[in-house]
Amino acid sequence: MPKPSYTDADFTSALLGLLPRGRVWPKDLTSVHAQAISCFAPTFTRISDSALGLIDDLFPATTVNFLSEWEATLGLPDPCSGTQPTFQGRRNQVVARFSNTGGQSIQFFTAHAAGLGYAITVTQYSPFRCGQSTCGQQLGGADWFFTWAVNCQLNTVSHFRTGQSTTGDPLSSWGNAVLECELTEAKPSHTRLQFHYS
């Protein structure tokens, strides 16, 4: 069911209907009095539209007016946000933090990166073992048990999108600083994380 929406003309008509009756209070839309009253209508229209969109605005993935409150609740912005994050980048980070249930699996890290707007793959390493490793595999110490790598594009580009970006956002931004920071924060403390870009 579509949401009812009121126009400036609807509010002008309603405001004129609230005025007293009489020759001093003309209701004709061409009168100076009615034109002066119509100046208030856009404010009421904006408030009405905002109230109708309140439910959508309360959810992290679609929020506009409550983004700063979501950030404050989730401890954002932090160093992972970067120096000048875009609006959609900030919202992606809120959604990723809010929906993050924790984990140590490849699926968890892939999903966490996807929530931030990055497509990655994960490589797990292991040291050479006689009878289990293949010929030509490099020798490695025990540290390889705890080493893993994230494979990603060299520069993930985020483009300005109508409805998702706001005034002041760049037309394009790129970089993987948010990905590196978020995954470094989320990785198990005993592991070593590498980032490989192609």
Side-chain angles (χ1 to χ4, degrees):
M1 181 172 160
K3 294 184 250 183
S5 183
Y6 299 101
T7 64
D8 290 354
D10 293 331
F11 282 108
T12 300
S13 177
L15 288 169
L16 288 172
L18 293 173
L19 295 175
R21 294 183 185 164
R23 292 174 44 181
V24 184
W25 306 99
K27 308 281 198 255
D28 181 21
L29 294 176
T30 60
S31 68
V32 174
H33 183 72
Q35 290 176 5
I37 291 292
S38 70
C39 294
F40 298 107
T43 301
F44 288 106
T45 303
R46 189 172 56 252
I47 291 169
S48 175
D49 290 345
S50 179
L52 290 172
L54 184 60
I55 297 297
D56 290 338
D57 202 20
L58 289 175
F59 287 96
T62 55
T63 189
V64 174
N65 298 313
F66 294 102
L67 181 60
S68 58
E69 290 188 34
W70 276 108
E71 286 178 323
T73 301
L74 297 167
L76 293 169
D78 65 358
C80 290
S81 301
T83 55
Q84 292 181 325
T86 63
F87 183 82
Q88 186 58 37
R90 290 170 56 203
R91 193 158 54 184
N92 285 348
Q93 199 170 11
V94 164
V95 171
R97 289 267 179 103
F98 184 70
S99 61
N100 185 357
T101 57
Q104 296 181 1
S105 66
I106 291 175
Q107 293 80 11
F108 163 73
F109 287 105
T110 304
H112 189 54
L116 292 167
Y118 298 91
I120 67 165
T121 59
V122 174
T123 304
Q124 289 183 305
Y125 298 106
S126 62
F128 186 89
R129 289 180 155 178
C130 292
Q132 293 179 357
S133 300
T134 59
C135 189
Q137 183 176 344
Q138 292 184 353
L139 297 174
D143 289 345
W144 283 107
F145 271 125
F146 309 108
T147 304
W148 56 291
V150 168
N151 308 300
C152 186
Q153 294 179 4
L154 178 60
N155 282 312
T156 303
V157 181
S158 300
H159 298 289
F160 186 95
R161 291 195 170 110
T162 304
Q164 295 181 352
S165 302
T166 60
T167 305
D169 281 353
L171 295 178
S172 293
S173 60
W174 52 90
N176 298 320
V178 173
L179 174 71
E180 289 185 16
C181 186
E182 285 283 341
L183 292 188
T184 301
E185 292 273 325
K187 77 175 181 67
S189 60
H190 66 283
T191 63
R192 295 180 180 177
L193 174 58
Q194 300 176 346
F195 291 91
H196 298 169
Y197 298 111
S198 57

